[in-house]
Amino acid sequence: MSKLAAQDKFLDLSDYGRSFGRFFANKLKNTCFTPIHVTLLFGLSGLIAIYCILNHHFLFAGFFILLKSGIDAADGELARLKKTPSYSGRYLDSVFDIILNFLFLMAICYVSKTTIWFTFLAFIGIQLQGTLYNYYYVILRTKSIGGDNTSKIFEYKTPKALPGESQQSVNILFGIYTIVYGAFDKIIHALDQQAYKVKSFPNWFMTLLSIYGLGFQLLIIAIMLPMGWIELIVPFFIAYTILIFLFIGIRKVFIK
């Protein structure tokens, strides 16, 4: 199952790891590996990247950050190939992402002159950026005929477990998900409460918005690290957050 119907597909600048993800998932299709195993693997790749940052191996850090993005695309692909979608995998993936984002920035803070308060501000900015992208993207997926609807526009109720997963796991992971993402979701929803009424988002807008996708954010970090721009990473993402108001303004004025 594709995430989007054919007419709703757009050039996703944050999804550069999709080809590798499909290749990797196809290699695992007939094995005992599950999407959860792949999620754990991208978590490991992220931890290796953090280790490399802490030891000033910035080129290797960039490599493992990009590898993390590629593997991150594989768990969903494998779930679709094996026809085993799960809420547990969906929430575990998101929880790992936010933890790794925080640790990436803390590692950068540790080896640079950046203050911890600016680092916290950059982390909040990165999460708001990603939340805006996911908010509009999930709306598009929900309204896309034949699209994947494992994700919901408003995550306020624990979903019923899908076949092959336990309700207890869903309950626990959903609880963690709402704790770590709840505030960001509420902020973005408050800034654009009527977005869910939009019939569809044009492809050009989603492509432009995809610079806020996690993959593109990590690509920026992976490039800036070996370029010797580590001191600029945190200030960049703080300033980058300003574009949120531009994207929401475009949506409210031109997309209804």
Side-chain angles (χ1 to χ4, degrees):
M1 180 194 298
S2 174
K3 288 185 177 182
L4 295 169
Q7 69 273 14
D8 294 318
K9 291 181 179 179
F10 61 94
L11 175 61
D12 189 342
L13 300 176
S14 71
D15 201 28
Y16 52 84
R18 184 63 51 185
S19 295
F20 174 81
R22 288 193 179 120
F23 169 80
F24 192 39
N26 273 292
K27 292 297 182 181
L28 299 177
K29 180 181 179 181
N30 298 316
T31 71
C32 60
F33 281 90
T34 69
I36 297 294
H37 292 142
V38 178
T39 301
L40 295 174
L41 187 59
F42 90 61
L44 176 61
S45 182
L47 291 176
I48 294 173
I50 291 164
Y51 173 83
C52 291
I53 293 172
L54 293 174
N55 287 276
H56 298 265
H57 301 312
F58 297 142
L59 183 60
F60 287 111
F63 169 79
F64 282 104
I65 286 172
L66 295 180
L67 180 60
K68 180 265 181 193
S69 292
I71 300 173
D72 195 358
D75 54 4
E77 290 293 337
L78 186 60
R80 284 183 281 277
L81 284 173
K82 291 194 171 188
K83 298 181 180 180
T84 56
S86 73
Y87 288 110
S88 298
R90 179 256 189 273
Y91 294 129
L92 183 64
D93 185 297
S94 296
V95 169
F96 270 25
D97 279 337
I98 195 170
I99 291 173
L100 288 174
N101 285 352
F102 181 76
L103 293 178
F104 286 147
L105 288 176
M106 287 298 108
I108 289 168
C109 176
Y110 183 79
V111 300
S112 69
K113 298 177 182 178
T114 309
T115 67
I116 193 167
W117 299 112
F118 274 124
T119 304
F120 273 120
L121 191 59
F123 170 71
I124 291 170
I126 283 176
Q127 292 310 129
L128 288 174
Q129 295 162 26
T131 300
L132 179 67
Y133 169 71
N134 289 328
Y135 180 39
Y136 289 163
Y137 188 27
V138 172
I139 291 172
L140 181 63
R141 285 168 61 178
T142 301
K143 295 178 181 290
S144 182
I145 299 174
D148 176 16
N149 60 0
T150 305
S151 299
K152 306 297 181 184
I153 299 174
F154 302 107
E155 301 276 5
Y156 59 85
K157 182 180 179 182
T158 306
K160 183 179 179 181
L162 294 172
E165 62 177 342
S166 74
Q167 187 63 53
Q168 183 179 13
S169 295
V170 175
N171 294 345
I172 293 172
L173 289 168
F174 177 77
I176 298 172
Y177 173 88
T178 54
I179 290 172
V180 296
Y181 282 100
F184 301 112
D185 287 342
K186 289 177 181 177
I187 290 171
I188 294 301
H189 291 163
L191 290 173
D192 194 358
Q193 297 180 20
Q194 304 302 312
Y196 73 95
K197 295 181 180 180
V198 173
K199 292 182 179 180
S200 184
F201 294 102
N203 293 348
W204 63 265
F205 177 73
M206 292 304 300
T207 293
L208 187 62
L209 183 64
S210 68
I211 65 172
Y212 267 180
L214 177 58
F216 199 81
Q217 292 171 327
L218 294 180
L219 176 62
I220 292 172
I221 295 175
I223 291 173
M224 294 182 79
L225 281 171
M227 291 292 289
W229 297 342
I230 191 167
E231 302 291 346
L232 299 178
I233 293 175
V234 165
F236 172 83
F237 280 106
I238 292 174
Y240 202 45
T241 306
I242 296 173
L243 292 177
I244 285 176
F245 301 100
L246 174 63
F247 288 129
I248 292 177
I250 291 173
R251 203 293 299 165
K252 289 183 176 180
V253 174
F254 300 105
I255 307 169
K256 298 181 179 180

